């Protein structure tokens, strides 16, 4: 992960030598990424890992923004319709994530999306309890969270 | 009115409309947990759009960098607050609305209490 910070520093350095427009920051970031990618053989294993993960991370961010917009629209629609027709509930999501960092990030991502809200974690860390605004089919939602958000998050982290 | 002004106004408008909807949600949803869904909505898309509009308005890399940092910091703090609130509410046995038809956390706690 430290190469990510180096990449950001390179971007800021490049931007400060230009006029520091948003384009300069993005361009500097891409340039820095190119430099790290070109030097990865000499920088060693963690640089190679960073170069490989960065595109996955970018895809993940785009995917998450899309999910965010979708669920926002869903909640707006839900409250404009009759809120009494919703079927809220707390579901137990079985976790594949093991370490503290993975669980905290997954919880943040789930809670940040409107419509799902992390409530608790079981003592043995097997389940995360999530309050959902409208859950007609709990099993389908569990599968979609597991193979959507969690799988993609673990792809970036592992 | 040039294109920058238009984009600034449009993003600001979308942000405030989303916030308006979320306060409507606070009034209309029946229990704590469902109201928190409405509250977190304001804080994600609403604030996101308002920050985007500020970034377009200034059009300056330093301001944009600060705004991106704000979003990142916000992402790491806001959900933790929401999660702690929800946890506390559930632990204090805050009544949930009658619509709530499935509570696997309650089932889990009951099963665990029976074991010990």
């Amino acid at each position: 992960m430290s190469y990510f910070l180096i990449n950001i520093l390179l971007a800021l350095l490049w931007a400060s030598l230009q006029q520091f427009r948003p384009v300069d920051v993005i361009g500097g970031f891409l340039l820095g990424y190119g430099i790290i990618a070109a030097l990865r053989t000499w920088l060693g294993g963690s640089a190679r890992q960073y170069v490989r993960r960065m595109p996955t991370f970018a895809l993940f961010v785009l995917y998450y923004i899309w999910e965010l917009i979708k669920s926002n629209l869903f909640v707006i629609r839900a409250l404009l319709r009759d809120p009494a027709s919703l079927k809220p509930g707390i579901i137990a999501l079985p976790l594949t994530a093991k370490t503290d960092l993975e669980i905290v990030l997954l919880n943040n991502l789930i809670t940040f999306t409107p419509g799902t809200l992390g409530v608790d974690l079981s003592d043995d860390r097997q389940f995360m309890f999530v309050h959902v605004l409208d859950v007609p089919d709990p099993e389908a939602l569990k599968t979609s969270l597991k193979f959507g958000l969690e799988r993609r998050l673990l792809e970036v982290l592992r | 009115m040039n294109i920058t002004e238009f984009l600034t106004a449009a993003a600001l408008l979308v942000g405030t409309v989303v916030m308006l909807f979320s306060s409507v949600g606070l009034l209309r949803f029946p229990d704590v947990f469902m109201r928190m869904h409405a509250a977190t909505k304001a804080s994600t898309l609403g604030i996101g759009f308002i920050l985007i509009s500020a970034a377009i308005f200034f059009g300056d890399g330093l301001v944009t960098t600060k705004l991106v940092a704000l979003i990142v910091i916000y992402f790491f703090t806001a959900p933790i607050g929401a999660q702690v609130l929800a946890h506390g509410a559930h632990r204090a046995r805050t009544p949930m609305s009658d619509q709530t038809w499935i509570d696997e956390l309650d089932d889990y706690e009951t099963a665990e209490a029976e074991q010990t």
Side-chain angles (χ1 to χ4, degrees):
Chain A
M1 223 45 209
S2 61
Y3 279 99
F4 185 57
L5 289 178
I6 291 175
N7 205 162
I8 287 176
L9 279 179
L10 282 174
L12 292 179
L13 185 67
W14 172 260
S16 65
L17 293 174
Q18 312 288 321
Q19 283 102 44
F20 223 107
R21 289 165 306 180
V23 191
D24 297 329
V25 181
I26 296 168
F29 191 84
L30 291 177
L31 196 68
Y33 179 73
I35 291 171
I36 295 175
L39 295 178
R40 66 183 183 279
T41 326
W42 292 279
L43 289 172
S46 62
R48 207 171 294 140
Q49 203 179 29
Y50 169 72
V51 170
R52 198 161 28 91
R53 270 179 193 171
M54 199 57 213
T56 334
F57 177 68
L59 277 180
F60 178 76
V61 170
L62 288 180
Y63 165 78
Y64 189 65
I65 290 174
W66 170 239
E67 286 286 304
L68 214 56
I69 292 171
K70 236 173 35 184
S71 59
N72 264 288
L73 291 179
F74 169 75
V75 176
I76 289 176
R77 234 186 8 237
L79 71 90
L80 288 181
R81 273 187 294 137
D82 188 14
S85 67
L86 293 172
K87 299 176 85 178
I90 295 182
I91 59 166
L93 177 70
L95 286 179
T96 315
K98 284 283 169 285
T99 64
D100 287 349
L101 181 73
E102 288 166 4
I103 293 175
V104 165
L105 280 181
L106 184 66
N107 178 54
N108 266 18
L109 289 166
I110 285 179
T111 308
F112 208 62
T113 349
T116 47
L117 172 70
V119 176
D120 206 350
L121 183 69
S122 72
D123 295 332
D124 54 4
R125 296 181 163 206
Q126 292 296 311
F127 297 101
M128 179 185 281
F129 297 99
V130 182
H131 185 273
V132 192
L133 189 61
D134 187 23
V135 50
D137 184 358
E139 293 309 318
L141 183 74
K142 279 181 210 172
T143 339
S144 84
L145 275 177
K146 248 195 120 42
F147 294 99
L149 206 54
E150 193 186 26
R151 187 181 54 82
R152 282 164 196 264
L153 176 70
L154 293 182
E155 252 172 33
V156 175
L157 287 178
R158 282 179 180 168
Chain B
M1 187 156 147
N2 58 31
I3 188 82
T4 322
E5 277 175 351
F6 178 76
L7 284 177
T8 309
L12 203 56
L13 189 67
V14 173
T16 40
V17 165
V18 170
M19 288 210 162
L20 174 71
F21 276 130
S22 96
S23 40
V24 172
L26 272 181
L27 288 173
R28 287 194 65 173
F29 284 147
D31 71 358
V32 189
F33 299 98
M34 292 171 80
R35 283 186 190 145
M36 266 163 63
H37 287 297
T40 43
K41 176 156 56 64
S43 48
T44 55
L45 258 204
I47 286 179
F49 270 109
I50 287 172
L51 290 182
I52 287 172
S53 106
I56 297 170
F57 179 74
F58 288 105
D60 174 38
L62 207 56
V63 176
T64 313
T65 314
K66 280 179 194 164
L67 293 175
V68 171
L70 251 176
I71 292 178
V72 171
I73 293 166
Y74 193 78
F75 170 77
F76 277 102
T77 52
I80 294 177
Q83 196 259 327
V84 169
L85 268 175
H87 188 199
H90 195 273
R91 184 153 284 188
R93 300 260 167 265
T94 315
M96 297 169 94
S97 89
D98 301 333
Q99 292 157 245
T100 313
W101 66 290
I102 177 170
D103 188 347
E104 292 183 345
L105 174 54
D106 208 40
D107 302 345
Y108 177 81
E109 279 173 348
T110 321
E112 210 167 50
E114 273 168 7
Q115 268 177 16
T116 47

